[in-house]
Amino acid sequence: MSIFYEEQSRTITLHTVSTTYQMQIDRYGFLLHLYYGKRADGCMDYLLTYYDRGFSGNPYEAGTDKTYSMDSLPQEFPSLGTGDYRTPACIIKNTDRTYCSDFRYVSHRIREGKYSLPGLPAVYAQEDEAQSLEILLRDPVTGVEAVLLYGVLPECDVITRSVKIVNASQGHVSVKKLAPACLDLVGGDYDFITFYGRHAMERNFQRMPVGHGTSKIGSLRGTSSHQYNPAVILAERETTEDAGACYGMAFVYSGGFQSEAGRDQYSQTRLLMGLSEEQFSYPLHVGEEFQSPEVILTYSSAGLGKLSRNFHRCIREHLCRGKYKEAARPILLNSWEASYFNFTGESLLALARQAAELGIEMFVMDDGWFGQRDSELRGLGDWKVNEEKLGCSLGELIRKINDMGLKFGIWIEPEMVNEDSDLYREHPDWAFVIPGRRPNRSRYQLVLDFSRKEVVDYIFDQICAVLDQGNVEYVKWDMNRSLADIYSAAADSQGRVLHDYVLGLYDFLERLVTRYPNILLEGCSGGGGRFDAGMLYYTPQIWCSDNTDPIDRLEIQYGTSFIYPASSVGAHVSASPNHQTRRVTSMKTRAMVAMAGVFGYELNLNELSDGEKDEIRCQIAEYKKHAALVQQGDYYRLTNPQTDNQGAWEFVSRDQKEALVQVVGIKKHANMTVDYIRVKGLKENTMYRDMETGRLYNSTALMEAGVPKPVLEGEYQAYQWYFVEEE
Ligand code: GLA
């Protein structure tokens, strides 16, 4: 049992292996938040304080008691209109056109297993691995209900939250704001950690103090975005990688979002995660419901590293699905950086032949194989194989590639249309365009209105017709622009369209994974523009960034690792000089960085020297040796490549018997100082052998004093140790 109701104190307590979360139904029926932190028993309502809060609001039933104020009490689901003037988690526009909601406790229910959410991605678990809690709140005046859902996964130290708004009132209402996760912390000094970025430089780590006022990040782009990732951390000021308290929230959603962190007048901290308020106003007719996406919450008292490992485990084991969830992913060669749009069937086959010879396992044909798609200017929406360009049918091409011993994968971008396409000429109203305005273009393309079922159905059929032409074993699902010009002819309110778009996307993806259970899906959005927990429910891996430069990737993969497991991070060895930065790095360095994710290649193999080809053969053997450790092992960050002179990380097996430590140097100086890499996560005082050199090391010394990183010649040198416990 992980969820308990205690009658006398009216507290509900959620326990995981190392954390406790507690709330209380107070004397007026408000649901107050008491505690979230290290596992603890007992009632924590002593944390609630009552002092004269003169100029704050007091609920009417408090009478002359000025010490009772929702403006100072910690809450589970704060709304507008209860006397709390802080940022609310929920705003509803009522039938009488007011914005007040006063949610009070009605009942609750505890059950075995993890709840699921209709039409939305959500954490899942076996019946005996999780428990769920449902709390019904109701506004006694309007009748509108908020059903708070909590899922508890004790082994992962994870609690999930979602909210359903039910219009049990007498008229039409609309949901104007909804944040399924709210965390009110009465004490402590916190930092707000977020992951900002841009195309080709995603998920940079930023840590800033939570001050008075509200810090807000989010996306107005209709997708989770390159610019801010929908996952945040609140860490005590002193918290480091290995010590201190921190809370994480990851939104299981791929559309617009917002996260707000702020200190109130009494220096209490509130953290919210939810849907973007911009262009959002979801209509609910009498009896209708709105189910929010869920947020994954986790807490660590042992620093950021442990917090990340909680997220990794939950995402890897309880969010990713399908045949490839645990299985080793095929080592692929992607054609994009090898030839961009300039290929023929013959040139693809020549590339595939070389790939097969080197031991690569799958060939992926990227953009450019359909319609008139020879550049970014045209063709999106016309999912008809360009047999003239390929010189044969798709089926034939796949057969030839399969005959070489390679699997075959293909690139698609179903949500998009070019104006220069047959689809747009036939159905111009299927793209987001506001009547009377000219639409914003981005990469010369427009976005299809996936909030409309007939559009989703049509594209789904087109894509299936392609996939059915042969033995397709992998699909890269791309999405290369942000949404704009939101107008849907069919919608009863434009305020619902952005969310309905995401539901349309999820519907398509669910149908795809159901119909093709053996296909491995990789997500992509101009690289990592939609790298979120929502997509990972359908695509167990996501192309991490269009930037394949290994030195930039140190920072991108560092930021990504705070929330997302290595098994989700698509990473390829590409050409040098790199196509995005022109930086020159060794094959070894490029491979080491790519091996810290789902490994593959993306370059013209036919241009390589024999020496480089031999290196690739060795890299493939090396990756295969460690693939399970990388995919399923515990991940440790050993340095911060934003500030340290190297990127270093480590994978440790669950049984702590083996560990792979990888390091890439950044700046080079004459007469170099020596950097010592402190290994983490090994058994104490145990002998481990470095399998590269054969040398034996004591693990405590490795963790306390570190191991000197060899001073190698040249810039950006990579080095690794593979430690195995000596029996
Ligand atoms: C995006 C992707 C790339 C590639 C191109 C093709 O930029 O991130 O990997 O697929 O589109 O147009």
Side-chain angles (χ1 to χ4, degrees):
M1 277 285 276
S2 45
I3 306 178
F4 302 87
Y5 176 62
E6 214 279 307
E7 190 82 50
Q8 197 150 17
S9 60
R10 301 229 290 171
T11 51
I12 305 175
T13 306
L14 282 45
H15 284 306
T16 70
V17 169
S18 355
T19 74
T20 294
Y21 187 109
Q22 194 175 68
M23 58 194 109
Q24 184 172 52
I25 304 140
D26 90 334
R27 60 192 123 138
Y28 303 123
F30 289 112
L31 190 62
L32 302 181
H33 177 78
L34 295 184
Y35 176 84
Y36 187 25
K38 206 169 178 171
R39 182 156 177 148
D41 294 320
C43 174
M44 271 66 97
D45 65 358
Y46 74 91
L47 289 165
L48 303 175
T49 59
Y50 299 90
Y51 294 104
D52 185 344
R53 296 308 185 193
F55 288 84
S56 286
N58 311 117
Y60 205 80
E61 55 265 64
T64 54
D65 179 5
K66 286 198 289 178
T67 70
Y68 190 98
S69 176
M70 298 308 280
D71 212 13
S72 57
L73 287 167
Q75 297 170 65
E76 279 298 302
F77 189 58
S79 56
L80 267 190
T82 60
D84 181 359
Y85 293 92
R86 295 171 287 181
T87 314
C90 173
I91 303 177
I92 298 205
K93 186 174 179 191
N94 297 309
T95 315
D96 63 4
R97 297 192 299 279
T98 61
Y99 293 89
C100 172
S101 301
D102 184 1
F103 291 116
R104 307 289 178 110
Y105 172 88
V106 177
S107 62
H108 74 270
R109 201 161 67 92
I110 298 167
R111 66 171 181 84
E112 294 307 309
K114 163 73 177 55
Y115 65 81
S116 57
L117 300 175
L120 284 165
V123 164
Y124 62 88
Q126 308 278 359
E127 206 57 9
D128 59 352
E129 285 177 327
Q131 276 200 320
S132 296
L133 164 69
E134 201 179 294
I135 304 176
L136 174 61
L137 307 178
R138 183 180 297 134
D139 180 331
V141 174
T142 63
V144 173
E145 294 172 349
V147 182
L148 310 189
L149 289 172
Y150 297 78
V152 183
L153 280 78
E155 291 300 321
C156 295
D157 282 330
V158 153
I159 291 171
T160 62
R161 288 191 62 173
S162 171
V163 183
K164 183 168 74 179
I165 301 294
V166 182
N167 182 7
S169 79
Q170 298 302 313
H172 179 273
V173 306
S174 36
V175 184
K176 309 284 288 182
K177 176 178 185 180
L178 196 56
C182 171
L183 190 57
D184 272 0
L185 298 168
V186 287
D189 262 341
Y190 294 96
D191 288 336
F192 189 34
I193 297 174
T194 59
F195 304 93
Y196 69 94
R198 55 189 184 274
H199 174 240
M201 204 61 215
E202 299 91 337
R203 289 173 299 287
N204 299 277
F205 175 93
Q206 175 176 267
R207 183 169 182 161
M208 57 183 169
V210 177
H212 290 275
T214 304
S215 300
K216 178 172 170 180
I217 58 130
S219 162
L220 311 185
R221 295 167 181 266
T223 69
S224 47
S225 90
H226 297 91
Q227 286 69 18
Y228 295 98
N229 194 264
V232 298
I233 298 170
L234 203 58
E236 291 260 21
R237 191 84 14 101
E238 309 302 323
T239 295
T240 62
E241 268 298 308
D242 305 301
C246 45
Y247 302 86
M249 286 187 181
F251 204 13
V252 188
Y253 191 59
S254 311
F257 76 97
Q258 62 190 37
S259 179
E260 298 159 274
R263 296 188 99 178
D264 68 11
Q265 56 184 331
Y266 304 114
S267 288
Q268 306 179 120
T269 300
R270 173 170 290 175
L271 176 66
L272 294 166
M273 173 67 91
L275 298 164
S276 171
E277 275 174 88
E278 304 289 335
Q279 299 185 69
F280 180 73
S281 178
Y282 209 93
L284 291 182
H285 298 286
V286 176
E288 285 182 346
E289 308 175 344
F290 180 84
Q291 179 69 60
S292 85
E294 81 175 3
V295 176
I296 302 173
L297 284 88
T298 184
Y299 167 84
S300 155
S301 61
L304 297 165
K306 172 73 167 64
L307 191 86
S308 298
R309 288 187 288 283
N310 292 349
F311 272 129
H312 294 175
R313 184 161 176 202
C314 176
I315 290 173
R316 211 167 47 207
E317 296 176 11
H318 296 281
L319 192 62
C320 293
R321 300 178 295 171
K323 176 177 161 185
Y324 285 96
K325 172 181 162 179
E326 318 254 343
R329 314 279 166 76
I331 297 175
L332 64 82
L333 174 83
N334 180 295
S335 69
W336 182 242
E337 286 197 26
S339 52
Y340 298 98
F341 290 108
N342 308 318
F343 59 82
T344 60
E346 263 322 304
S347 74
L348 293 182
L349 289 171
L351 200 56
R353 217 167 284 124
Q354 186 59 72
E357 221 169 85
L358 298 179
I360 289 170
E361 297 163 321
M362 181 160 75
F363 181 83
V364 176
M365 176 168 71
D366 210 280
D367 197 355
W369 55 265
F370 52 91
Q372 297 304 307
R373 184 82 173 158
D374 282 321
S375 75
E376 292 175 350
L377 286 166
R378 56 187 61 85
L380 287 171
D382 295 340
W383 301 107
K384 295 268 175 325
V385 179
N386 185 344
E387 296 189 349
E388 209 180 308
K389 182 167 178 176
L390 295 183
C392 61
S393 69
L394 180 63
E396 219 173 308
L397 184 82
I398 298 175
R399 260 192 311 280
K400 285 183 185 160
I401 288 176
N402 284 170
D403 286 348
M404 296 172 192
L406 289 173
K407 295 180 192 298
F408 177 83
I410 196 166
W411 177 99
I412 56 174
E413 193 178 358
E415 297 153 83
M416 295 295 155
V417 67
N418 284 115
E419 287 156 275
D420 189 355
S421 69
D422 292 341
L423 180 70
Y424 188 75
R425 282 183 281 273
E426 250 171 72
H427 295 287
D429 61 312
W430 281 10
F432 281 128
V433 177
I434 298 176
R437 292 181 192 272
R438 285 180 298 179
N440 290 280
R441 292 181 178 134
S442 178
R443 213 189 186 217
Y444 311 109
Q445 60 199 57
L446 304 180
V447 185
L448 289 173
D449 181 358
F450 265 32
S451 75
R452 288 168 66 176
K453 188 167 178 306
E454 73 268 35
V455 179
V456 172
D457 287 349
Y458 177 86
I459 302 292
F460 183 75
D461 289 345
Q462 302 295 304
I463 297 293
C464 290
V466 171
L467 300 182
D468 291 342
Q469 285 173 36
N471 179 24
V472 176
E473 296 184 77
Y474 161 106
V475 168
K476 175 175 169 187
W477 179 303
D478 209 341
M479 199 288 185
N480 283 319
R481 65 158 288 178
S482 307
L483 277 60
D485 306 289
I486 301 307
Y487 170 80
S488 182
D492 58 349
S493 152
Q494 298 307 317
R496 67 183 298 155
V497 176
L498 281 171
H499 180 67
D500 286 354
Y501 176 92
V502 182
L503 295 182
L505 165 70
Y506 289 154
D507 172 37
F508 194 135
L509 283 162
E510 187 62 36
R511 285 196 242 169
L512 201 65
V513 299
T514 308
R515 180 168 164 148
Y516 302 102
N518 292 324
I519 289 186
L520 169 61
L521 279 184
E522 175 154 350
C524 178
S525 176
R530 199 161 59 183
F531 204 122
D532 58 64
M535 285 308 288
L536 288 171
Y537 186 66
Y538 308 95
T539 69
Q541 61 192 58
I542 298 177
W543 182 225
C544 182
S545 177
D546 271 351
N547 187 342
T548 55
D549 175 317
I551 304 307
D552 276 356
R553 274 283 184 131
L554 292 177
E555 291 181 41
I556 298 169
Q557 293 179 194
Y558 171 78
T560 306
S561 78
F562 279 85
I563 312 294
Y564 306 102
S567 59
S568 67
V569 174
H572 299 166
V573 174
S574 62
S576 177
N578 178 269
H579 289 191
Q580 292 82 42
T581 62
R582 309 308 300 167
R583 198 190 324 256
V584 174
T585 54
S586 71
M587 193 62 123
K588 180 170 180 187
T589 298
R590 281 175 271 153
M592 195 163 294
V593 175
M595 280 190 202
V598 182
F599 186 62
Y601 290 86
E602 188 160 337
L603 75 173
N604 189 346
L605 300 172
N606 291 315
E607 286 172 357
L608 300 180
S609 68
D610 287 347
E612 287 172 314
K613 288 181 189 168
D614 284 342
E615 254 187 275
I616 290 185
R617 285 190 189 93
C618 296
Q619 288 168 359
I620 288 173
E622 179 74 10
Y623 183 70
K624 287 184 154 235
K625 196 162 86 188
H626 299 302
L629 181 57
V630 169
Q631 229 175 286
Q632 277 137 40
D634 284 335
Y635 185 85
Y636 290 84
R637 287 177 291 272
L638 305 182
T639 64
N640 173 355
Q642 288 179 325
T643 50
D644 294 328
N645 200 19
Q646 58 264 320
W649 58 89
E650 181 189 10
F651 298 96
V652 182
S653 63
R654 272 288 166 78
D655 58 10
Q656 295 172 291
K657 286 190 168 166
E658 47 171 341
L660 181 67
V661 178
Q662 300 183 310
V663 49
V664 174
I666 302 175
K667 262 201 230 148
K668 184 75 192 170
H669 299 291
N671 201 9
M672 276 296 274
T673 51
V674 177
D675 293 310
Y676 288 80
I677 306 296
R678 287 190 180 151
V679 177
K680 295 182 186 176
L682 303 182
K683 293 179 188 168
E684 284 292 346
N685 210 12
T686 303
M687 298 312 286
Y688 283 77
R689 190 177 294 281
D690 172 20
M691 305 308 278
E692 309 275 321
T693 60
R695 186 176 174 146
L696 271 176
Y697 292 87
N698 176 283
S699 59
T700 300
L702 280 177
M703 294 192 285
E704 293 297 313
V707 55
K709 187 192 128 208
V711 176
L712 301 164
E713 265 182 40
E715 278 184 309
Y716 314 125
Q717 295 300 322
Y719 195 82
Q720 78 176 28
W721 296 265
Y722 175 46
F723 295 113
V724 176
E725 184 188 351
E726 191 74 352
E727 294 295 338

